[in-house]
Amino acid sequence: MNNPFKNIKEADKLKAIKYANVGGSVLYSLFRYALLLSIGFIIIYPLLYMIVTSITSPLAFLNSTRVWIPTDFLIKDNYAKALQALDYWDSLKNTFFYPIASALLEVCSCAIIGYGFARFNFKGKKILSGILFLTILIPEMMLVMPRMANYGNLDFLGIFGGIEKLVEWVASLFGSDITATFDLTPNIVNTGWTMWLPSFFGIGLRSGVLIYIYIQFFTGLPRELEEAAWVDGAGPLKTFLKIAVPSSSVVFITVLVFSIVWHWNDSLLTSIYFTETEPLAPALVGAKEYLGAAWGLYGGKGAPQQAAVMMAICLLFITPVLIFYMFIQRGFVESIDRVGITG
Amino acid sequence: MSKLKKSRGIEELKSRYGFMFVLPWIIGLVMFFLYPLIQSIVYSFSDVAVSPGGVDIKFVGLKHYIEILKVDQNYTTELTTSLTSIVYSLPIILILSLVLAMMLNQKFRGRIFFRALYFLPVIIATGQVMKLVFETTDDSLTEMGVSGGMASGMITVEDLTGMLNMSTEVAKFITTTINDIFNLIWSCGIQIVLYLSGLQSIPATLYEASRVEGATKWEEFWFITFPMLSRITLLVGVFTMVELFINERTPLVERVYGSMLTGQYDKPSAMIWLYFIIVSAIMGVIIFLFNRFVMKRYEA
């Protein structure tokens, strides 16, 4: 059976197969790069477009030989207008103060709730899980109107209002009128509480999705360490803070990015809740009105100069999140692999 | 006997702890979700007047619903536009994001770069910015002699039908998709992220085993990847539906949003509820079919 030719043949065959595979995989990887690059271009295009348009002077818009590189620059003017239209620094401060603070609150409160769902069995868990799905399903837009109406007199099922009336009635028996000073149902319209409170209770902007991600992650986390802590006599809160949280950086990064980005971009809630101290997102919506008549001149599509300012406005709006993403990008990209959302 | 009792005691204790963890959520749920939800239904059946002292509600029955369906000229058109856009975008977004996620999941040079790039829509996933970009790049600018409009180089229906001899229906679908491609790809952000996470949680041993058995890549996809992803597909599907539902670029949502800002609560409530009921009915049918034909098949 020691036929040397046979061995050579086998080796050649293997080689041939190997080369065929290499050829195929080179072709495939070329195809992959081509596809990824072309779709990547679609993703980057609006950004490039924004940058280029925002530094173009109105004159250059009428030059039809211009494609990407503007023939006339007008950076300072465009951006000065954009800063003014957004009332940028004030709006930026408001954004951090209201939506971003609310996002951070949400990240913390949803972690606690998700942990409770993932680790413990309690009565009514099934029903609550169903309601959790409902909170994912029903968008904020359907709730914002009644919420806004309630925020004028913040109450919990009319209980505090009842107590308030009762106390006032008792006081009136003693002959003093405290209606003006005694208020258990505060008006929180136009204050940060409109966002902070729901986030604190884990029912803020898209909290359902965040809780869901937390549940999936904590369910996949090995129980052993926590059980050891239990045996050693640590309470549930201590176990959560000292054992579960430190090993959950992956899920925290994911959720943090989602929450901050959603809050940053949300213009619906913020423009209804904050009419006086506007964060950036509603200011962005309002910018169109600021640019005024010229924007509406050409069938609502905007004149060239307005387009330039508008793109400068958009760029200013996304810059802070882009910087945030640059810093956290590495961790976020890696954490996606390990967060374990399995549906 | 005593041991049994003790263990039940621990279970009960744990159950109480679990309840403590979710208690804030339950309070928030009642206060900021269930109660407003019921109110919003009530609003849609009432005349609502907002005054500084509070909200006056007068029950009027189906008045608003009849009004938006019969009197309002635009509502039904806006509704059908939104619904068709949802129904046709959903499968495209799902397939596109799955394909992209599978590509980004492979090991190759520059993977980190591409991932960071493809997650950009997650970061800038705002209706408003994209809406403004689209408005500025609308072809009205091109008509005015302004070059560089985003839609200027796109294919038209006539080009396609002429070129490939296709039926107009198919051609129309393809052109809408192509003209909509910015939109669709920019809607894939979170979906890609979720799919990537799901792909990572498929045990590598399954692929190794199938390779030993001599399965092709195609079989690998249909017998391992796809079934293992069926649950996350459901999640991504629901998420996408909700995203599409509240898409600020659809005329219906824009109108509802506009009238909410002016403090009108009753009619917009009716509009959005009718829209929501139809969307959730569609979603229900999709989930049912998915459960019936995809999940069941693989779970058995």
Side-chain angles (χ1 to χ4, degrees), chain A residues 28 32-33 35-36 39-40 42-47 49-50 61 66 112-113 115-117 120-122 128 131-132 135-139 141-151 153-157 201-203 206 211-212 230 236 258 261-262 265 267-268 271-272 284-285 288 295 298 301-302 307 310-311 314 317-318 322 325 329 332-333 336-337 339-343, chain B residues 14-15 17-19 21-22 24-33 35-37 39-40 43 53 55 100 103 106 108-109 114-126 128-129 132-133 135-138 140-141 144-148 150 182 185-186 190 193-194 196-198 200-201 231-232 235 238-239 242-243 245-246 248 253 257 260-261 265 269 272-273 276 283:
Chain A
Y28 173 68
R32 180 173 55 205
Y33 278 119
L35 191 76
L36 285 178
I39 293 183
I42 290 179
I43 290 172
I44 207 88
Y45 187 99
L47 265 184
Y49 181 85
M50 267 186 240
F61 272 102
R66 172 198 72 100
I112 298 171
I113 296 153
Y115 186 76
F117 266 111
F120 302 99
N121 280 315
F122 47 88
L128 286 177
I131 298 179
L132 180 67
T135 62
I136 296 176
L137 216 61
I138 294 177
M141 196 166 72
M142 309 186 61
L143 305 169
V144 69
M145 291 174 268
R147 268 194 201 172
M148 197 55 200
N150 293 344
Y151 283 160
N153 289 298
L154 190 72
D155 204 344
F156 185 77
L157 296 177
F201 285 114
I203 198 89
R206 292 197 198 176
I211 294 175
Y212 193 77
W230 271 94
F258 283 172
V261 163
W262 286 336
N265 289 321
S267 56
L268 174 75
S271 58
I272 289 180
L284 179 75
V285 180
K288 233 195 296 190
W295 182 257
Y298 300 92
K301 305 300 186 205
M310 207 64 209
M311 289 304 100
C314 287
F317 175 75
I318 58 173
L322 278 182
Y325 181 56
Q329 168 266 120
F332 179 61
V333 169
I336 286 306
D337 282 348
V339 71
I341 309 166
T342 54
Chain B
K14 274 201 164 184
S15 149
Y17 285 146
F19 197 72
F21 270 91
V22 292
W25 186 65
I26 296 172
I27 295 173
L29 204 63
V30 173
M31 202 163 156
F32 299 110
F33 185 75
Y35 188 55
L37 194 68
Q39 272 180 302
S40 137
Y43 284 2
V55 184
L100 289 175
M103 289 202 158
Q106 290 159 346
F108 60 92
R109 208 179 277 263
F114 277 113
R115 280 193 178 195
L117 180 66
Y118 277 73
F119 290 170
L120 261 183
V122 179
I123 307 301
I124 321 175
T126 159
Q128 287 303 332
V129 167
L132 290 170
V133 173
E135 274 178 21
T136 359
T137 57
D138 203 286
S140 70
L141 279 180
M144 284 161 47
V146 178
S147 60
M150 207 189 283
F182 279 99
I185 286 176
W186 272 80
I190 303 262
V193 171
L194 291 175
L196 263 178
S197 176
Q200 284 293 329
S201 57
R231 273 172 61 83
I232 199 139
L235 176 72
V238 169
F239 186 85
V242 175
E243 285 270 279
F245 172 67
I246 54 165
E248 286 163 54
V253 173
Y257 178 52
M260 276 194 310
L261 279 175
Y265 289 173
S269 285
I272 199 89
W273 266 105
F276 177 74
M283 198 162 8

